[in-house]
Amino acid sequence: MKSSRRMLSAFLASAVLLGTFPAAYAVEQDAYQDIQGHWAQDVINEWSDKQIINGYNGYFEPDASMTRADVAVVIGRIMDYQDEAENIFSDLGNAYYTDALLRVAEQGVMQGDDGQIRPLDPITREEIVCVLQRAFDIDVAEEQPGFADNNAISSWAQASVAAFEENGFVSGKPGNLFDPQAEVTRAEVVQMLDNLAASALTDLRVTVADEETDQMVHVRQPLLLSGCDLDAEVPVGTASVDIYPTAEQGATITVDGEALQNGKATVQLDNGFKLVEISVSNGAGTQSYELVVRIGIDPQNPYQTLYAGEHEQTVTLDNGEVRSFTAYVPEGARESNAGVFVLPDRSGAASTFEEWKQLADQTDTQTIDDDWTKQQEKFIVICLDGLTYGTSAEARAADIDYVNKVYTAACGRGMYCIHEAKNYMVGYGMGGTIAQMAAMDQTAVWAGLVTVGAGEIDDSWLAEHNTEMAVSLNGYTDEDSSIPKNTIPLPVWIINDGTETDPDTLSYWMAANHIEENDAASDSGITKYVRSVGWTADEQMYGENRDTEAYRIWVSNGTQTASEIWNDFLFDVRRWMADPGGDLRMTEDPIADLGMERRYEEVGGWMREWYTYVPDSVNASTQDVPVVFALHGYSLNGGVYAGQTDWHEVADEEGFIVIYPSAIYDNIKWNGNAPLPAWNIRCDETLPDDVAFIQFLLEDVDASYDIDLGRVYVTGHSWGSQMSHVMALSNPEMFAAAAPLSGFIFRTEVYDSLDSAAMERAGGIPVYMSAGTEGSTEASICPVPPTRDNWTGQSIEQWFAINGCDGSIDWADVSAVWTDSPAYEQEGRWYTLTYEKDGVPMLCAEIVDYMPHATMPEHSERVWDNWFSHYSRDDAGKLIYSE
C-alpha cells in the first residue's frame, strides 16, 4: 500500500513536533465524562489532545454517529486544504461546515450525488473508508474484501474497503461482518485515524551527509497538508544526504529498501537530485513515502548560475582512449546558452582559452536597459585541450572522434545547458584544420565555424569523405540516410593568419551552401559570400523554416579577436532542430531586434520572467485583440522559444499578441541533469503555481490592451505541450483552443488537472496535437502510429472522450502506417486525423514526416491558419466555430 501524498503523518509531525497546537487548547486526559472504560478511551484522549476531533461541554459521545459535514471538518483540520469548490450543491447553505465541505469536494475526497452532498446525513462505514482512502491517497486493493457480508458492500466501495482491511486500518464486527451501511461512530472514526497513524512517519529530518546540523536542509512539512510530496532542498554541490526518519515504537523503517543504520540512512545524490522511497511498517500495514531531494532554488533569484567557473570533464573515444576537456561557465550564464567549442593550436592553448573566457564574462555589447543586453545569454566556452594533432589516419580519426564526443558530453546538461541551435566551433592553427574536418564530418550539429590559420585538408581524407552519407541529421540519426555529408550547409569564416585559403576547403563549403562566385562582396577587407539563389527542389518543403542570408562564407587575412569572431559572425546564425540537417536562420534578439517587452517581476512569491510581443498594428486603442500563449519546452525560456517558433511573424500578419512566459528551474526527473526550467505540471506546491501565473499574465495584458477574452489560445512544445494540456484541462473556459506540439500527453499526472465541471460548462476545448517521426526522444514520448497502448493513442482516446466527439475511433486504420492509411489526410509531409462533435472539429492529431522532437515557424503558421483562427467563445463562454 502506497500513500505518498496527503499523508496523515505530515499533520502529526507538524502538529506534535512543530508545536501547531498551543498548550492552552489541549484537552486534559480523561476530560470527558462519558469515555471512562470505553474501548476507545485512550485514542480519544490522544486525538482530542491534538484538537482533531473534540467533544462539547465535557462530553465526547463516543457511540454517537458522525454526519458527513462533521467528517469533512475533521479531514479539513488534518489536510488544511486551501482550494474551495464552487457551491453547486442544492442542500448546502451557510453553516460552520460549509467551507470544509467545499474544500474536500474540490479535492474529490467527498463527492455529491444528483446535485446534493447530504451534509447532515450520518456517514456510513463504507463511506468513511472511501473518504479516508481518497484523503490520504491510499492505494486501492485489487483483491476483494474478506468479510462475510462482501455482497452488501457497494461496488464503488469494494476496493477501498479491501485496502483498509488488508492494511489493518479497519476491522470487522462479530461474525466477520463489515456492516457497510451502518452509521459509523465517533469512536470508530478516531480508531481508524489512529490505525492510519500507527504505520506513519512521526518525524523526518534530512541533513547534508556528515554534518551535525540540518539548518541547510529542510522538509517542507506544512505544505504536505495540502497534498505535496515530501521535499528536501540541498545546496549546490551536495553529493549525499543523511536521512533520519522516525515512527511509532515498534515500527520498521526502510529507506530505498534498506534498513536504517544507527537511526539514519545515507543516500547518494545524482547531481543534487534523488527520489527516495521510505517505508514504515507496524506489522499490520505499511505506508510508503516518496522524498524528493533536490537543489534548492531561491524564489527571489530563480535563474542564478549554479555551477559557475571551470569544470574538467572526460570522454571515452571509440578506440578506448580517455581524454579530458575544460568547460567554462561565466557568472550570469543561464539555461539554453550558446556553446563556443575552442580547438586551440598545438601551442598557446592557455592564452586562447583565456581570451574566450574573458569575452564570455563580458558579453554585453549592446545595452537594452539596466537589466538586459543583446547577449544576456552568456555563452559557455568549451576548450578541447585534449587534441593530439597526429597526422596519421588513425590519429586524425581519433581527434575527430574526440571533437564529436566532447560535443555530446558538453550538451549533456549536467552542470550547464547549451541549446542545440547554438553550437559553434572555432579552431586555431592545427586545431583549425581538425575543426574543418570535424565540421565536415558532423555538419548538422554546428551553427557556425571559424578557423584561424588552419592548414590544408588531406586530399585523400576529403575524397573519402565526399562519398559518405550524413547519418547525424540534427536531432536524430538515420543509418539509411541518402543525404551526402557534403550537401549540408554551414556558415564558415576562414581567417588566414599567415596562411593561404585552402581552395578545396573553400570549394567544399561554397557548394554545400549553394554559393556562387558572383555572390561575393568585399567589406572592410573581408570577402563575404551570401547565398543568392532560391531553394532547390529538395529544399523547397523546408524553405519556410530557413533564411538564405544565413548561408554564408567569409574569407579574410590577418588576425581577428575573439570578440570580432563572436559578435560579427557566429552570434548572428543559429541552426534550429526541425528538418533534416537542421534549419539555419538569422538570430533575432527578442528585445533589440523584435522590440518585445521583457518583464521580470514577483508573481506568487517568485520572481517570474515573460516576454510580450505586440505587433505594430496593435496599440492601446485597438479593439478585440486575440492572445496566444506560447510555452517553451524543458530547459528553454521565453526568449529562446520566440526564436524557435517565430510566432511574432504570424502575429504581424494576423494582429494578435504573443506572450512567451519562462518556467522556473526544477528537476523533472532523475536523469543527472542540473535543475533547468520546467513547467510545474504536477502542481507541486513547493514550486511556483504556473496555472495561476498564466492566469495572471492574461489579466495583466488585458489591463493594458483591449483583449478579446473569447480568442485566447495556448500552445507549447514538449514540456510546454504538457503545460498546454494542463491549462486546457484545468481552465477550458479561459481558452478558445489549444495546440500542444510534440505534444501528446506523456505524463499521466497531467490528467489530474481535469476540471470536469468547467469542461462541461465550456462545451469542451478544441485540441490540436502533433508528433514527428524521427529521433529517440520523439519516439519515446510521442510514438507513431498511435495505438491504444501508447501515449499518442491514449491521448487521442482521452481527448476524444473529453470533447464528446461523434462516433468512434477506427483503431485498425489509425494504428496503420500513416502513409498508407485512409484514416489520414495527407498534405505534403503532414498526415492529419480529425474528429468532430456536431460537425465542429474538436480534435486534430498530425504526424509530421522527417521531423524530430522539435517545432518550427511553419508549425506556428499552420496552427494559426488551420486551428486557432477558426475558434472563439462568445460572452457567455459558448464555443463558436467558423470555417
Side-chain angles (χ1 to χ4, degrees):
M1 185 278 294
K2 181 177 180 180
S3 177
S4 64
R5 299 183 181 181
R6 301 191 288 272
M7 296 304 301
L8 182 63
S9 61
F11 179 85
L12 298 179
S14 58
V16 178
L17 300 167
L18 305 179
T20 298
F21 304 122
Y25 292 96
V27 178
E28 294 181 5
Q29 189 166 353
D30 293 342
Y32 301 117
Q33 301 177 38
D34 56 350
I35 65 170
Q36 301 297 324
H38 193 278
W39 61 267
Q41 175 180 344
D42 290 341
V43 292
I44 289 172
N45 281 323
E46 178 182 348
W47 286 82
S48 187
D49 284 348
K50 295 179 174 70
Q51 293 286 293
I52 298 299
I53 184 167
N54 302 315
Y56 182 71
N57 283 344
Y59 291 88
F60 187 79
E61 298 184 348
D63 298 317
S65 61
M66 283 190 76
T67 65
R68 289 165 57 84
D70 287 338
V71 170
V73 171
V74 169
I75 297 298
R77 287 173 180 160
I78 296 174
M79 305 309 298
D80 192 29
Y81 294 132
Q82 299 299 310
D83 295 332
E84 186 174 300
E86 178 184 355
N87 189 354
I88 59 173
F89 304 110
S90 61
D91 58 347
L92 182 60
N94 291 324
Y96 72 90
Y97 50 74
T98 301
D99 284 351
L101 265 172
L102 291 176
R103 294 179 196 278
V104 297
E106 175 67 12
Q107 297 296 323
V109 169
M110 189 173 286
Q111 300 169 346
D113 185 30
D114 293 330
Q116 296 186 330
I117 199 164
R118 301 181 287 113
L120 301 182
D121 282 6
I123 196 166
T124 64
R125 284 170 58 83
E126 65 179 4
E127 285 178 330
I128 188 66
V129 166
C130 289
V131 166
L132 293 176
Q133 178 267 318
R134 296 186 197 116
F136 303 128
D137 202 17
I138 309 297
D139 280 354
V140 295
E142 296 181 2
E143 304 295 330
Q144 294 294 310
F147 296 109
D149 55 349
N150 271 359
N151 291 338
I153 302 174
S154 300
S155 58
W156 47 263
Q158 290 268 348
S160 298
V161 172
F164 267 53
E165 178 197 21
E166 177 185 323
N167 288 283
F169 300 150
V170 67
S171 57
K173 294 183 177 182
N176 191 31
L177 298 176
F178 180 66
D179 199 7
Q181 281 78 45
E183 297 173 2
V184 73
T185 68
R186 288 166 56 82
E188 288 174 329
V189 171
V190 173
Q191 185 62 61
M192 287 185 197
L193 293 174
D194 198 66
N195 292 343
L196 282 162
S199 58
L201 287 173
T202 56
D203 187 20
L204 179 64
R205 189 164 66 94
V206 183
T207 74
V208 174
D210 300 324
E211 292 199 5
E212 296 181 359
T213 59
D214 62 350
Q215 74 275 14
M216 297 285 290
V217 184
H218 58 280
V219 175
R220 299 175 182 235
Q221 297 217 22
L223 291 174
L224 290 173
L225 304 180
S226 54
C228 289
D229 294 333
L230 293 161
D231 173 75
E233 295 187 339
V234 299
V236 173
T238 301
S240 58
V241 293
D242 289 334
I243 300 174
Y244 301 84
T246 58
E248 296 291 339
Q249 186 173 1
T252 300
I253 304 174
T254 63
V255 174
D256 284 341
E258 300 293 330
L260 301 180
Q261 300 295 324
N262 299 318
K264 74 173 183 179
T266 299
V267 174
Q268 301 297 315
L269 306 183
D270 186 358
N271 204 1
F273 185 77
K274 184 73 163 68
L275 297 178
V276 182
E277 293 290 338
I278 303 174
S279 295
V280 183
S281 175
N282 69 343
T286 300
Q287 296 202 52
S288 298
Y289 303 77
E290 185 176 81
L291 168 66
V292 181
V293 182
R294 62 185 175 207
I295 294 172
I297 303 299
D298 181 1
Q300 295 304 305
N301 187 20
Y303 299 113
Q304 63 180 314
T305 308
L306 298 179
Y307 295 101
E310 289 190 22
H311 306 282
E312 183 175 333
Q313 299 173 249
T314 60
V315 293
T316 302
L317 308 189
D318 290 344
N319 63 9
E321 284 185 67
V322 176
R323 298 192 193 179
S324 65
F325 67 96
T326 307
Y328 178 70
V329 181
E331 191 66 52
R334 282 185 50 179
E335 66 286 340
S336 289
N337 302 274
V340 177
F341 291 70
V342 178
L343 281 64
D345 201 354
R346 186 186 290 273
S347 60
S351 60
T352 301
F353 188 23
E354 190 63 31
E355 181 184 9
W356 280 97
K357 285 167 52 181
Q358 290 178 10
L359 179 61
D361 285 332
Q362 298 163 3
T363 321
D364 54 0
T365 58
Q366 184 175 347
T367 301
I368 307 304
D369 57 34
D370 291 341
D371 301 317
W372 189 256
T373 62
K374 185 170 182 178
Q375 295 169 26
Q376 179 88 0
E377 46 163 293
K378 295 188 174 183
F379 60 80
I380 309 297
V381 185
I382 308 295
C383 184
L384 284 79
D385 41 20
L387 293 169
T388 65
Y389 309 99
T391 57
S392 68
E394 293 78 11
R396 185 174 55 208
D399 272 345
I400 293 172
D401 185 39
Y402 169 62
V403 175
N404 294 336
K405 293 295 193 299
V406 169
Y407 160 80
T408 301
C411 293
R413 300 171 176 172
M415 290 176 288
Y416 47 87
C417 175
I418 298 175
H419 191 272
E420 62 264 16
K422 311 176 193 176
N423 290 284
Y424 307 93
M425 188 156 47
V426 182
Y428 294 84
M430 297 181 70
T433 307
I434 298 168
Q436 285 283 0
M437 299 165 75
M440 292 175 180
D441 184 58
Q442 299 284 354
T443 312
V445 303
W446 303 103
L449 167 67
V450 177
T451 59
V452 182
E456 294 183 356
I457 296 176
D458 182 77
D459 290 341
S460 61
W461 183 91
L462 192 58
E464 181 179 353
H465 169 82
N466 282 334
T467 65
E468 297 174 353
M469 297 295 117
V471 174
S472 174
L473 293 172
N474 194 280
Y476 71 101
T477 59
D478 183 0
E479 297 294 339
D480 299 320
S481 170
S482 60
I483 300 175
K485 287 183 176 181
N486 60 10
T487 64
I488 299 179
L490 178 68
V492 177
W493 187 1
I494 299 172
I495 302 172
N496 294 309
D497 185 10
T499 56
E500 293 184 0
T501 302
D502 178 11
D504 291 337
T505 300
L506 179 59
S507 176
Y508 179 96
W509 291 120
M510 288 183 68
N513 285 283
H514 296 276
I515 288 174
E516 300 173 358
E517 285 291 344
N518 58 10
D519 290 333
S522 180
D523 181 8
S524 301
I526 304 174
T527 302
K528 298 181 178 180
Y529 300 85
V530 180
R531 175 175 179 166
S532 62
V533 299
W535 304 116
T536 66
D538 290 340
E539 299 172 306
Q540 194 65 48
M541 75 168 65
Y542 312 119
E544 189 174 344
N545 305 315
R546 298 171 176 178
D547 294 337
T548 55
E549 186 183 355
Y551 291 58
R552 57 184 185 165
I553 298 172
W554 290 7
V555 180
S556 64
N557 297 311
T559 60
Q560 300 286 343
T561 65
S563 178
E564 291 168 328
I565 291 171
W566 172 249
N567 292 306
D568 296 345
F569 188 79
L570 292 178
F571 177 78
D572 285 343
V573 179
R574 292 174 181 172
R575 185 189 295 272
W576 297 98
M577 186 171 72
D579 299 316
D583 296 324
L584 293 174
R585 293 203 296 276
M586 299 302 294
T587 301
E588 292 182 303
D589 181 86
I591 298 173
D593 298 323
L594 301 179
M596 293 190 192
E597 179 187 21
R598 174 188 181 260
R599 302 266 293 277
Y600 184 59
E601 301 174 13
E602 185 171 328
V603 180
W606 289 75
M607 293 300 295
R608 301 306 303 261
E609 175 186 71
W610 67 98
Y611 297 78
T612 303
Y613 182 77
V614 181
D616 291 339
S617 62
V618 173
N619 55 48
S621 62
T622 307
Q623 295 183 345
D624 298 330
V625 182
V627 173
V628 171
F629 284 93
L631 310 180
H632 64 76
Y634 170 59
S635 81
L636 275 68
N637 58 51
V640 176
Y641 195 55
Q644 183 178 13
T645 59
D646 279 2
W647 265 107
H648 63 276
E649 293 191 358
V650 188
D652 283 338
E653 295 175 4
E654 305 295 341
F656 58 81
I657 291 173
V658 190
I659 300 176
Y660 300 95
S662 297
I664 296 296
Y665 287 4
D666 182 25
N667 290 97
I668 64 170
K669 59 182 179 178
W670 185 17
N671 57 6
N673 287 1
L676 292 167
W679 298 105
N680 184 13
I681 64 170
R682 305 184 303 274
C683 299
D684 182 343
E685 294 190 22
T686 68
L687 295 169
D689 184 341
D690 283 329
V691 172
F693 176 45
I694 294 172
Q695 292 170 333
F696 165 82
L697 294 181
L698 181 58
E699 295 170 2
D700 180 76
V701 74
D702 189 40
S704 301
Y705 298 92
D706 182 10
I707 301 302
D708 184 347
L709 296 178
R711 289 193 293 165
V712 178
Y713 312 92
V714 62
T715 183
H717 178 254
S718 189
W719 206 254
S721 80
Q722 301 307 280
M723 192 64 206
S724 299
H725 282 292
V726 168
M727 295 307 301
L729 288 165
S730 64
N731 287 265
E733 296 163 296
M734 180 177 170
F735 303 102
L741 311 177
S742 283
F744 296 86
I745 298 176
F746 55 83
R747 300 289 299 199
T748 55
E749 59 263 41
V750 167
Y751 292 112
D752 295 339
S753 303
L754 175 62
D755 185 332
S756 299
M759 191 66 71
E760 184 175 356
R761 291 193 302 270
I765 179 170
V767 173
Y768 166 99
M769 300 178 284
S770 69
T773 60
E774 309 300 329
S776 59
T777 300
E778 195 78 337
S780 66
I781 62 177
C782 299
V784 293
T787 72
R788 302 189 80 166
D789 297 325
N790 63 26
W791 297 121
T792 305
Q794 289 162 10
S795 300
I796 292 172
E797 191 169 38
Q798 289 292 329
W799 274 114
F800 186 98
I802 290 169
N803 279 330
C805 294
D806 300 329
S808 61
I809 300 172
D810 185 342
W811 286 108
D813 284 344
V814 168
S815 301
V817 177
W818 54 95
T819 55
D820 301 322
S821 171
Y824 297 87
E825 181 179 346
Q826 182 185 2
E827 182 185 351
R829 61 176 176 152
W830 304 79
Y831 295 81
T832 308
L833 292 170
T834 305
Y835 298 99
E836 298 182 349
K837 176 184 178 182
D838 299 331
V840 175
M842 293 296 290
L843 174 60
C844 177
E846 285 197 317
I847 298 174
V848 191
D849 255 347
Y850 310 118
M851 187 183 78
H853 186 62
T855 186
M856 62 252 187
E858 182 185 8
H859 223 159
S860 302
E861 185 171 343
R862 189 175 183 88
V863 166
W864 179 265
D865 290 346
N866 295 352
W867 203 249
F868 285 172
S869 64
H870 297 279
Y871 300 93
S872 62
R873 294 190 184 275
D874 64 17
D875 291 342
K878 180 181 177 181
L879 187 67
I880 298 172
Y881 174 73
S882 59
E883 293 287 350

